[in-house]
Amino acid sequence: MKFKHSFKLCRSSDDERLYVCNGNAVNISLIDNSIINVKVYKDDSLQGMPRESNNDSFGFGDITVNIESENMIISYLQNREVLFSDRAPLAYNFENEFGKGVFHYLTREKGEKIYGLGDKAGYLNKAGNAYKIETTDSMGYDAEKSDPLYKHVPFYICENSVGSYGIYYVTSSSAYIDLGREHNNYYAPYKYFRCEDDEALEYYVFFGTKLEILQQFGRLIGKCAFPPKWSFDYCASTMSYTDAQNAEEEFNDFLFLLKKYDISCRGFYLSSGYTSIGDQRCVFNWNREKFPHPDEFIKKFRENKIEIIPNIKPAFLVTHPMYRELAAKGMFIKNPDGTPFVTQFWDNLGSYLDFYNPETKRFWKEQVKEKLLDYGITTTWNDNNEFDIKDSEAVNCHGDKACRLKPQLTFKMVEASFEAQMEEYPFLRPFLSTRSGNINVRTLAQTWSGDNYTSFNDLKFCHFIGLTMSLSGFYFYGHDLGGFAGELPEKELFLRWLQHGVFEPRFTIHSWNDDKSSTMPWSYPDLIPTVREIFAQRKMLIPYIYNCAYNAVENEIPLNAPLFLYYDDKEIDENGNTFMLGSDIMAMTVFDKGKSSVKAYLPAKDDWYLDGVLYDGGQEIEVDIPAEGVAKYFVKAGSVIPCDVAEYGFMSGEEIMLHVYPLKEGDFKTTLFFDDGGSIDYLDNYCTLLDIEVHCSIDEVSVKIENKGNYYTDFDIELCNGDNRRLKLL
């Protein structure tokens, strides 16, 4: 009977329960004694299984899970208070009561806050809104309002009056999440997940603090790929260089200007114009008129310590020289009759490669090696990989609907690139960038926020998109500094973007300006001294950022995060101008045109240093941040910040200084990581792993350092500016 389903327990153990009712099954599992997995599916074979009991419950830690057999209502209690539950009287679509597909309805508390869902636009708190979970090529999107964008991440963290919990829905299909926009007279306030294409529902539930939930989610997915150290320095890009007929001349000028202005640069994202045939972009084709000798071009850049990061795309235009051959071999997503599925791609029609086909994957890897890696390239930029397939008749080689596999196709593309790089350079940590994907791509590649727009409003809301990605498990991200689409950024906006970029994991200027200009460090000659200062500040912080990267990979601590991830302080403004870089630096940035200062609230749990002055936590400080100046940041008392104090320049080296920021009084410990910056040797402990103990008294700061690694890194150590206590090394 619809709307009335009496479930019975038919199988039970310490960590698993199976409930059945008329061919409907609900399996509840406890994972690692902290995570709940729920599967709701059809299985007629369970009809005759023995049944026993009705309502049921089990617990772990401070969590109790109650199961109401009538309609399978699952409730989660924390310290005997209801944290959340399935919506009564019906939460699941057992007999199509809610229409086609799978549904999951949950309770909603007034005033609850919700964070996550990938690269979603707007402010951090997503409560009260509704979103598509889908990948889309969102060129020039509005960072405040556009939806969907590039990522497929049906995961969020909810905080209410009782505590926090996380939900992750396991699906590759396009889905929809309503977090309080919809109201219905017949039900108490609710939120819900819907997916029309899935036949079964599976989700995970996480418990703890917001940080603990994020860490549990990350460990479930798998560690982030560890980027090489060079990738945290300035990496350049622009569409116009490779689109130009005199492309190689443009690149020679770029090298000349880097040297002229003495600017450090360690990477260049090579836009797809290098593959052009006429006005068409043909992946794996080198335009020999623009680049007569790709190997020599790449060698020249690598001799100047700049890695070329080439753009590759997963679709072949129908005009591509290899299209017919690949079609004949069945390497594309297909129509039901076996012919290639054709769709719009860039300025023509094209077909997406079917990465479920082993022959396609083999072909891709061969092309990556032959056309890129064999020339001396060590990286890939996996772009335009949203697999924009909406036609339900398009299928992969196994006959599965491609529209249900879009983020999986992206993952498999990136995986093929990753494997090619590992096979070519087995001792290097592979560097890949991907624009799209599900959360699993974090195990292979870094990402960015895509084709943003040049405006102060988009600077502000790209900031929140970035933090939202962090709260979704994407720790290695960045933005196209200055804005990708639109006009060349005006001077003030350009500098504000660069100041923000100092604290982003990825520090890259990239543009496709309407007037065909390129946004570059020297776009405004009169600003070059300021730009160099900002770039020098970024390079100075790279040893700390690299430590944050290691901590993100090993301990699931995001490189960027809102303050509330670490501080339970009601005075924190989650929509303010401050955010964390690692757990020891609180960054500040200006989002508004014409403003020159920000108000920064210092969390009460800690004290904070700014320019050598120690401020008590629990107060608000107004900080002047002129546009023509370096970025500003507070450092938490009780931390050691490794910095590069070498003289800044085009080919500058690295000199490590450990800056100690002591407590007023007391002890603290920290760990710092150094290695060769690019190999996998650290996995065998061939690294410097410093255990640092600091004792702070009124007149002395004593420091004890022990290296637990098998590699030594040279460094000096000093107290932060303004601290006149004696430094004693034990």
Side-chain angles (χ1 to χ4, degrees), residues 73 284 347 351 453 503 588 592 624 675:
I73 303 299
F284 298 129
D347 297 325
S351 297
Y453 193 77
F503 308 110
M588 298 163 286
D592 301 306
D624 290 328
D675 73 342

Side-chain angles (χ1 to χ4, degrees), residues 402-525:
C403 64
R404 296 175 59 178
L405 301 169
K406 292 165 57 178
Q408 279 297 100
L409 283 162
T410 303
F411 177 83
K412 287 180 175 294
M413 171 203 178
V414 178
E415 182 181 52
S417 300
F418 181 93
E419 290 177 3
Q421 291 172 231
M422 283 297 294
E423 290 168 12
E424 189 90 354
Y425 302 105
F427 302 110
L428 286 182
R429 299 202 302 268
F431 178 80
L432 300 88
S433 184
T434 181
R435 188 170 72 179
S436 186
N438 54 21
I439 188 59
N440 302 86
V441 297
R442 79 179 209 142
T443 64
L444 306 172
Q446 61 138 244
T447 189
W448 82 105
S449 60
D451 297 339
N452 58 358
Y453 193 77
T454 301
S455 71
F456 271 97
N457 195 61
D458 272 49
L459 164 61
K460 175 179 180 177
F461 284 99
C462 276
H463 164 79
F464 293 118
I465 287 175
L467 295 183
T468 295
M469 284 198 284
S470 280
L471 292 171
S472 306
F474 283 116
Y475 304 148
F476 295 101
Y477 74 90
H479 309 289
D480 284 348
L481 302 180
F484 177 76
E487 301 295 330
L488 177 74
E490 60 182 280
K491 292 181 179 181
E492 183 184 1
L493 177 59
F494 180 52
L495 293 175
R496 292 308 189 194
W497 258 119
L498 295 183
Q499 288 174 344
H500 192 278
V502 165
F503 308 110
E504 296 174 20
R506 170 187 182 264
F507 187 60
T508 295
I509 300 172
H510 186 35
S511 62
W512 198 13
N513 298 331
D514 291 345
D515 63 0
K516 308 303 180 184
S517 65
S518 301
T519 307
M520 285 287 159
W522 43 81
S523 289
Y524 296 103

